[in-house]
Amino acid sequence: MGRLRLIVGIACLTSACVVAQRPAPPSSNIAPLPPPTAAASPPPDATASAALYTLEEALADALLAPLQHIGTGPWQGIQRSYACAYQNGRVIVVDVYCSVKEGKAVRIDFYSPTRGRARLYAEASRPISQLSRHDYFSFTGETQPAPLRREHLPPLRFTMSMAELSDYERQRYEKFLPTCYGGIEHNRPQGGCLGELAPQARTWTRINQPFLDRPPAQWYRLINELRTQAVAHGRDP
């Protein structure tokens, strides 16, 4: 009997250890995330055919918690304007045309250390924040998986300065990594996937085209939030 009690006690102790290791269920109230201090873990060296970051997921990550300003400065490929970068512990968001005076085009780049990169671009004949989707003559999106180890890009960190982030984007741009894209440019449809991602073209379009045809209300919310931030942090050419 004493031996039986001992076995039961050990089993209960083991069971308790298993329960203690289970993560708590997610809370329905999302609290703002504190700025991380450690570098994000590098992505696994998986194939480029892994599930791509979607435009809707990138938008949701950007609105998950308040954006904190990283810095304002030059950006890869942009000559006559300045970019503003922000992070919220989930994603880095770059307002590429970040000026105090609002322009007629907006480009937002999203960087997730684990999901990859996404981009949204909209252009119209008047300032974007005053318009809706049917007023745009260009509205495009693209996504790209997180770089693999073999692509030799530095790890993306939320603690990067504006200069470090701009240099990261330069290095990424110069590698011509596989990308999927779609939308309209000057009212002409476009779309496809390049390189290793070519087999995913139909899937990418099926998932992301509804967003590009009719963006959710959160899209306009992000536009307005970045416009408010630009007044405080932007710089006119």
Side-chain angles (χ1 to χ4, degrees):
M1 180 64 71
R3 182 177 180 183
L4 178 59
R5 290 177 179 174
L6 177 61
I7 293 173
V8 172
I10 292 173
C12 291
L13 179 59
T14 304
S15 175
C17 291
V18 172
V19 172
Q21 292 174 351
R22 291 176 182 169
S27 171
S28 59
N29 296 322
I30 299 176
L33 300 177
T37 57
S41 300
D45 200 5
T47 64
S49 62
L52 284 169
Y53 205 21
T54 70
L55 300 175
E56 189 171 3
E57 288 171 336
L59 180 62
D61 282 348
L63 294 172
L64 181 64
L67 294 171
Q68 302 173 4
H69 183 236
I70 295 173
T72 300
W75 196 246
Q76 165 66 33
I78 306 301
Q79 301 296 326
R80 295 191 294 178
S81 65
Y82 296 91
C84 296
Y86 310 90
Q87 63 89 7
N88 64 3
R90 177 64 69 89
V91 68
I92 293 172
V93 178
V94 180
D95 180 2
V96 177
Y97 308 137
C98 186
S99 58
V100 176
K101 181 180 179 181
E102 185 177 4
K104 299 175 183 178
V106 61
R107 179 180 135 193
I108 306 172
D109 292 353
F110 307 81
Y111 298 85
S112 165
T114 56
R115 297 304 312 280
R117 183 186 66 88
R119 172 178 296 171
L120 283 163
Y121 175 85
E123 187 175 359
S125 59
R126 289 178 288 149
I128 291 294
S129 70
Q130 303 172 18
L131 306 175
S132 59
R133 166 66 183 85
H134 73 273
D135 298 308
Y136 307 163
F137 55 74
S138 292
F139 190 44
T140 61
E142 64 179 77
T143 61
Q144 187 176 71
L148 307 180
R149 291 195 189 103
R150 60 180 165 83
E151 288 159 348
H152 304 295
L153 272 173
L156 184 68
R157 308 186 315 274
F158 291 112
T159 53
M160 280 180 165
S161 66
M162 184 65 184
E164 290 171 330
L165 187 59
S166 180
D167 187 60
Y168 174 89
E169 169 58 15
R170 178 190 60 78
Q171 294 181 62
R172 184 208 63 80
Y173 176 82
E174 291 174 352
K175 289 185 179 294
F176 299 100
L177 303 180
T179 302
C180 289
Y181 64 98
I184 60 167
E185 187 171 356
H186 294 282
N187 293 316
R188 294 182 179 179
Q190 60 166 312
C193 291
L194 305 176
E196 297 175 46
L197 298 179
Q200 295 200 48
R202 288 187 179 181
T203 300
W204 191 94
T205 299
R206 175 177 56 80
I207 293 172
N208 294 282
Q209 192 61 47
F211 182 105
L212 294 168
D213 289 338
R214 185 176 296 178
Q218 288 85 348
W219 161 250
Y220 303 105
R221 175 185 160 192
L222 181 60
I223 291 294
N224 288 326
E225 288 194 13
L226 291 179
R227 181 88 293 272
T228 299
Q229 294 273 16
V231 173
H233 303 294
R235 190 184 307 174
D236 289 333

